[in-house]
Amino acid sequence: MATPTSQETVFPPPLVEGGHTFGSVTDAICGVVEKPTSNGWKAAFTAALAGLALFGVSVGYLIWEGTGIWGLNNPVAWGWAIVNFVFWVGIGHAGTLISAILFLFRQKWRTSINRFAEAMTIFAVICALTFPTIHVGRVWLLYWAMPIPNQMGLWPNFRSPLLWDVFAVSTYFTVSLLFWFVGLVPDLATLRDRAKTKIAHTLYGMASLGWRGANRHWQNYERAYLILAGLSTPLVLSVHTIVSFDFAVSVVPGWHTTIFPPYFVAGAIFSGFAMVLTLAIPARKVFGLQDFITVRHIENMNKIILVTGMMVGYAYAMEFFIAWYSQSAYESFAFVNRAFGPYAWAYWIMVSCNVITPQLFWFKKIRTNVGLSFILSIFVNIGMWFERFVITMSLHRDFLPSAWDYYSPTIWDITTFVGTFGLFFTLFLLFLRFLPAVAIAEVKGVMPQANPHWEGYHQHSDAAHGTTAGHGDKVHG
Amino acid sequence: MAATAHNRATIPAQADAGAANGVFKIGLGLGVVGLAGVGGAFAVDHKQAYFSWLTAFAFYTTIALGGLFFTMLHHLVRATWSTPLRRAAENLAANLPLMAVLFIPIVIGMHDLYHWSHAEAVEGDPILKGKAGYLSPTFWIVRAVIYLAVWNVLAWFFRRTSLRQDETGDVGLTFKMRKMAPAGVLAFALTISFAGFDWLMSLNPHWFSTIFGVYVFAGATMSMFAVLALTALWLTNRGGLGNSLTIDNVHDVGKLMFGFIVFWTYIAFSQYYLIWYGNIPEETVWYKVRLENGWQWYSRLLAVGHFALPFWVLMSRHAKRNRLVLGITAVWLLVMHFLDHYLLVSPTLHDHGPHPATLWMDAAAMLGIGGLFVAFYARRFTKAAALPARDPQLAAALEYDNA
């Protein structure tokens, strides 16, 4: 047999490479934050701010003028706004899957990427939330979506999935933020203890809530983390399930189909992991985090992309098959029209990027090739945007042929969407600059040194104890 | 136990052959009794007997398929913790040849079971005529042969390779199985979905639901975990492997069983809710039958018994680690798995309300197929080690604790 026969290889390789000690882990990750601002970061941040400005202008003009500036027309009353909303909210799901579900499954490799992915989740959800907010037209009346008691006895329509979105996404955002922050506390304390300036010391000190790394702190921390992971796990499923209900509770052919909830969840995870790769591959290189976000991490994520991509492909196939099997003329037409109608170009972009190109990840050579992984992750990002576009465009040929119309975006649709990338990268670059991009304390927990029986260092007392996150002797607050 | 590393040569892996043989004999006896009952059922009402047979067949086939899925999933994700339980899953999947034989009555009874199989019914029905390219007796049989062949080849490959490792201890066999797993899972996903369409969904040939394949899979996996939990409890007790397999290993099965209770509910709710909300007659007709004339009580029991009750019971860590509570819940879930399939199959025949008078026929089929199923399953624990004795991951998996 050609396969290796050494027993070691049955078990996975180490999660942290480069012969790190606890001390050098802290130095490497904190170093990203503590080094002087690089010109590269400044240039990227300037570009992101320009995108944010574009976003501001687009939204400002929209609020001034109304949704007429978008390309919406009569059968297509939902255009890019819903496409972009679903696109961004889907991306968030990878962060929650990594932080919650992989934690419950004890997938230790998650520790290197969870901080990063959770930050991405929060910023992606912020981008997502802007679209329903501005789509309502009169944004100053947005609070009407909340069930606030009033003297007129007016309530939102509780039967509308759009209202469920309000609850689902805001719950999701709140829990994700809490989860992310709880995980950050020990690392913020590390930054506090290393801070060289008064202001950094004060700010990190306030954010770290008086963390001293005491035994009791760690016990409470671990318990809170587990509870939040348990609470976040159903959220991974529920949020995109509710988003799928936006479409599936209607009776529009192509929207109303029972597989939508799990299909949307799989697609969300698929797109989210692609985005994690798109962000992590450049970031690990620029900030020298290759020892923590290793090729093994990239390979694992590629495998998840392959699996979830096939789930999405399964859903496409089932939809198509059942549309025919149902012998419903409208269902069959909707799917034939997708594949061969005016939007066939979008449909085939979707199929190519979501089902065909991810098949390359069957090959280990490609899975472990960092450059190719980056390129393929961008394909997935594109494909998943188009998936939502294809689904939304089911509207363009509805039951009434005389009302059929072709939808095209206007310049304002495009600038608003491009602008959300400005918003996203502004937040993301700030995160990379001021917060530890890798969970320092958690990564130490998966290193061999964390095993109490480990006997690796020659004089291990010094190195093993000196640099855990937070120092007992530095009481703060 | 974590401190004392297991020496691989000394792990007891052989279940008590006497105890397993006892189960084999009891199963065989009950199976013969059940099959006699099935014979009686065919004498009384052969149409009902075929429906009862299909219910029981679907119940046990899904469990065996769950075993196949768990085996392949173990290799696919390169899990360590599930190594000691893998042999039991392989043994479950090894019942698939039995299920292939027990499928023959369904082919014979096709015209009693499936409305679309009547040429004259198709002739006067434009919808059935439209899908006759798929729902035709010949193609249906060809597909069934393909599904059963795929499952049997996969089950045979994984169990045989695993048994060979028991003898040789060759690590390369682990890699061989890992290599096969992705393609196996892919083939499994497609075949179980279409088998669900063919054997269960097409009982109501006008009705359709894209999630139906996932629904069948969800129930299959949950019920398999229930059987796996019962097997693990048996192995650590009467099976005499209490020193190898511990409550920590059992606990993990309980966690996944809990997870798949929720997953099944999620899928079942998605299907029901979207059809209810859309309120299109061609879709709601399937639920309408199941929510009227007495069937609603069965449906409500399914919602409570397949979800609400076990969900609250198993949420606690103490429940999952308590042999009695876990065991009773697993048995209860199997009863609910039966109810699930009873509700998939029986209302097609009794669309004006349930017929409790014919339940004895369902019971006979469950006992007949079930007795054989359990007997063949138990027999395998006398033939080979109950744990994959020389799997390189076994020692690490047994040291694992959930504290």
Side-chain angles (χ1 to χ4, degrees):
Chain A
M1 203 162 297
T3 40
T5 48
S6 149
Q7 207 200 300
E8 261 59 54
T9 51
V10 172
F11 296 101
L15 289 160
V16 176
E17 290 174 356
H20 277 282
T21 63
F22 280 173
S24 68
V25 169
T26 309
D27 289 339
I29 298 170
C30 292
V32 176
V33 178
E34 290 163 347
K35 265 185 272 183
T37 310
S38 70
N39 286 331
W41 187 88
K42 283 179 190 158
F45 193 64
T46 309
L49 280 180
L52 183 60
L54 183 67
F55 180 70
V57 170
S58 308
V59 172
Y61 184 53
L62 176 88
I63 292 170
W64 178 260
E65 193 67 25
T67 47
I69 66 167
W70 286 345
L72 305 172
N73 59 36
N74 206 333
V76 188
W78 268 3
W80 274 34
I82 188 81
V83 175
N84 299 339
F85 165 68
V86 183
F87 171 77
W88 278 116
V89 86
I91 281 171
H93 282 63
T96 323
L97 181 102
I98 292 167
S99 55
I101 294 186
L102 294 187
F103 177 74
L104 294 184
F105 278 114
R106 302 177 191 228
Q107 295 297 303
K108 289 179 175 171
W109 62 276
R110 68 179 268 291
T111 53
S112 299
I113 49 169
N114 71 333
R115 170 73 42 77
F116 203 85
E118 284 175 60
M120 178 197 77
T121 295
I122 290 160
F123 306 145
V125 174
I126 290 173
C127 292
L129 280 171
T130 59
F131 284 101
T133 305
I134 59 178
H135 197 184
V136 297
R138 302 177 188 179
V139 285
W140 52 93
L141 296 178
L142 189 71
Y143 68 94
W144 284 13
M146 291 289 170
I148 301 166
N150 58 79
Q151 74 278 21
M152 292 186 288
L154 280 174
W155 297 94
N157 182 3
F158 287 105
R159 291 182 191 178
S160 164
L162 301 179
L163 181 72
W164 310 337
D165 265 345
V166 173
F167 298 125
V169 181
S170 54
T171 308
Y172 183 49
F173 181 73
T174 312
V175 175
S176 299
L177 192 65
L178 271 177
F179 201 7
W180 186 57
F181 180 69
V182 167
L184 266 170
V185 166
D187 291 357
L188 288 170
T190 304
L191 283 172
R192 171 199 67 199
D193 296 343
R194 293 166 57 97
K196 298 252 170 19
T197 64
K198 183 83 188 149
I199 184 155
H201 185 76
T202 309
L203 288 175
Y204 285 124
M206 283 164 71
S208 57
L209 307 177
W211 178 272
R212 296 184 307 279
N215 191 341
R216 229 170 60 144
H217 289 183
W218 279 111
Q219 281 192 3
N220 289 335
Y221 168 87
E222 297 281 352
R223 183 54 58 90
Y225 204 89
L226 182 64
I227 291 171
L228 282 168
L231 289 175
S232 304
T233 296
L235 283 177
V236 179
L237 295 169
S238 71
V239 178
H240 231 61
T241 296
I242 301 288
V243 171
S244 82
F245 284 174
D246 291 349
F247 301 95
V249 297
S250 72
V251 291
V252 176
W255 285 10
H256 178 70
T257 183
T258 48
I259 206 168
F260 253 42
Y263 152 46
F264 264 51
V265 172
I269 293 164
F270 179 57
S271 68
F273 269 93
M275 190 58 108
V276 174
L277 279 178
T278 307
L279 297 170
I281 288 175
R284 75 194 268 277
K285 191 162 171 71
V286 171
F287 297 112
L289 296 172
Q290 285 102 325
D291 288 343
F292 307 104
I293 303 173
T294 64
V295 171
R296 182 182 160 207
H297 291 95
I298 292 170
E299 190 190 359
N300 280 357
M301 287 193 267
N302 285 335
K303 284 180 182 171
I304 293 179
I305 287 177
L306 179 60
V307 169
T308 48
M310 306 256 254
M311 288 181 185
V312 169
Y314 171 93
Y316 295 162
M318 285 303 149
E319 279 187 324
F320 231 107
F321 172 71
I322 296 288
W324 171 80
Y325 179 90
S326 72
Q327 288 291 306
S328 156
Y330 305 103
E331 285 288 333
S332 308
F333 173 78
F335 282 92
V336 170
N337 186 51
R338 265 185 200 179
F340 305 106
Y343 286 106
W345 57 274
Y347 181 83
W348 293 106
I349 290 176
M350 169 189 98
V351 171
S352 309
C353 295
N354 290 350
V355 184
I356 298 172
T357 53
Q359 301 304 323
L360 290 169
F361 285 140
W362 280 100
F363 304 101
K364 194 180 172 78
K365 273 225 166 73
I366 295 175
R367 283 202 302 270
T368 52
N369 182 313
V370 178
L372 278 176
S373 301
F374 180 72
I375 293 168
L376 286 172
S377 77
I378 293 192
F379 272 102
V380 174
N381 288 325
I382 294 170
M384 283 309 289
W385 188 88
F386 271 96
E387 180 192 296
R388 281 61 175 256
F389 181 73
V390 165
I391 292 170
T392 306
M393 286 310 123
S394 296
L395 291 171
H396 89 111
R397 285 185 168 179
D398 61 2
F399 294 104
L400 197 64
S402 62
W404 288 2
D405 203 354
Y406 191 84
Y407 167 93
S408 305
T410 64
I411 183 74
W412 294 106
D413 282 300
I414 297 167
T415 54
T416 313
F417 181 51
V418 172
T420 49
F421 280 94
L423 171 63
F424 180 83
F425 279 107
T426 303
L427 294 167
F428 202 77
L429 286 163
L430 286 172
F431 157 73
L432 286 176
R433 188 71 200 90
F434 295 107
L435 293 171
V438 175
I440 306 171
E442 282 187 55
V443 162
K444 288 176 185 169
V446 301
M447 289 166 65
Q449 288 92 321
N451 185 340
H453 301 289
W454 188 75
E455 297 284 347
Y457 298 129
H458 290 299
Q459 300 114 353
H460 63 96
S461 59
D462 197 38
H465 299 304
T467 51
T468 43
H471 294 275
D473 54 350
K474 270 201 174 182
V475 181
H476 184 82
Chain B
M1 62 174 292
T4 55
H6 276 290
N7 184 336
R8 267 186 300 122
T10 62
I11 298 172
Q14 192 72 46
D16 181 353
N21 236 330
V23 178
F24 167 70
K25 281 177 189 153
I26 295 170
L28 211 56
L30 291 177
V32 170
V33 172
L35 289 179
V38 172
F42 272 101
V44 177
D45 180 350
H46 72 280
K47 195 174 169 84
Q48 170 66 49
Y50 279 126
F51 275 83
S52 299
W53 186 266
L54 178 64
T55 308
F57 173 82
F59 175 93
Y60 289 106
T61 306
T62 47
I63 293 173
L65 287 175
L68 178 61
F69 175 68
F70 187 73
T71 307
M72 294 193 291
L73 188 68
H74 167 90
H75 294 298
L76 183 71
V77 302
R78 307 188 174 180
T80 300
W81 73 272
S82 48
T83 309
L85 301 158
R86 204 186 69 223
R87 179 57 47 80
E90 289 163 359
N91 287 349
L92 268 183
N95 270 354
L96 283 164
L98 171 71
M99 300 323 294
V101 173
L102 298 179
F103 184 72
I104 293 169
I106 295 170
V107 178
I108 298 168
M110 186 202 282
H111 293 303
D112 285 304
L113 288 165
Y114 300 104
H115 176 68
W116 53 260
S117 67
H118 297 271
E120 65 278 9
V122 174
E123 208 43 55
D125 187 329
I127 290 181
L128 291 188
K129 217 170 171 177
K131 57 176 106 180
Y134 183 80
L135 285 184
S136 76
T138 318
F139 190 29
W140 184 86
I141 292 172
V142 169
R143 287 197 306 272
V145 170
I146 293 172
Y147 309 146
L148 290 163
V150 167
W151 299 336
N152 274 295
V153 167
L154 287 172
W156 170 82
F157 168 81
F158 282 101
R159 186 159 184 273
R160 199 192 65 137
T161 313
S162 174
L163 289 180
R164 218 162 62 196
Q165 196 174 46
D166 277 6
E167 291 162 20
T168 63
D170 178 8
V171 185
L173 294 173
T174 299
F175 293 106
K176 194 177 163 190
M177 289 186 279
R178 282 180 181 177
K179 216 172 181 128
M180 188 71 177
V185 170
L186 190 60
F188 173 83
L190 290 173
T191 46
I192 193 175
S193 303
F194 281 96
F197 293 157
D198 285 6
W199 299 346
L200 298 170
M201 195 169 87
S202 84
L203 286 167
N204 303 75
H206 281 208
W207 186 74
F208 53 89
S209 170
T210 42
I211 208 174
F212 197 83
V214 187
Y215 181 82
V216 172
F217 160 77
T221 313
M222 188 219 67
S223 55
M224 177 273 300
F225 279 121
V227 174
L228 210 58
L230 291 173
T231 309
L233 288 173
W234 182 84
L235 284 174
T236 53
N237 188 19
R238 300 291 290 280
L241 288 175
N243 288 330
S244 317
L245 211 58
T246 65
I247 195 69
D248 287 304
N249 303 104
V250 179
H251 183 181
D252 281 331
V253 182
K255 289 180 195 170
L256 279 165
M257 193 162 81
F258 175 77
F260 272 87
I261 290 169
V262 180
F263 184 70
W264 177 90
T265 309
Y266 170 59
I267 299 300
F269 177 76
S270 296
Q271 176 172 280
Y272 173 74
Y273 188 69
L274 290 176
I275 288 175
W276 171 79
Y277 203 113
N279 206 13
I280 301 173
E282 61 212 53
E283 293 175 355
T284 49
V285 59
W286 195 80
Y287 281 109
K288 189 175 186 297
V289 172
R290 285 159 178 77
L291 291 170
E292 281 181 353
N293 301 321
W295 280 120
Q296 72 269 31
W297 295 105
Y298 292 71
S299 296
R300 286 170 193 167
L301 177 61
L302 188 69
V304 174
H306 208 301
F307 169 59
L309 193 67
F311 177 79
W312 289 110
V313 170
L314 279 189
M315 187 175 261
S316 158
R317 157 191 178 82
H318 304 291
K320 290 189 281 265
R321 293 176 74 87
N322 182 306
R323 306 169 137 271
L324 190 67
V325 177
L326 187 71
I328 290 174
T329 314
V331 171
W332 172 257
L333 285 173
L334 289 174
V335 174
M336 286 299 118
H337 187 58
F338 167 74
L339 178 63
D340 185 15
H341 283 83
Y342 184 67
L343 264 173
L344 288 177
V345 174
S346 216
T348 309
L349 185 60
H350 305 295
D351 53 357
H352 296 298
H355 273 227
T358 58
L359 262 174
W360 69 270
M361 301 196 202
D362 298 291
M366 284 296 289
L367 196 64
I369 299 182
L372 297 182
F373 191 92
V374 170
F376 280 83
Y377 181 52
R379 184 103 175 130
R380 296 199 181 89
F381 288 95
T382 68
K383 299 277 184 209
L387 315 177
R390 296 179 71 184
D391 187 300
Q393 287 163 291
L394 184 63
L398 290 176
E399 275 180 42
Y400 180 70
D401 75 298
N402 262 314

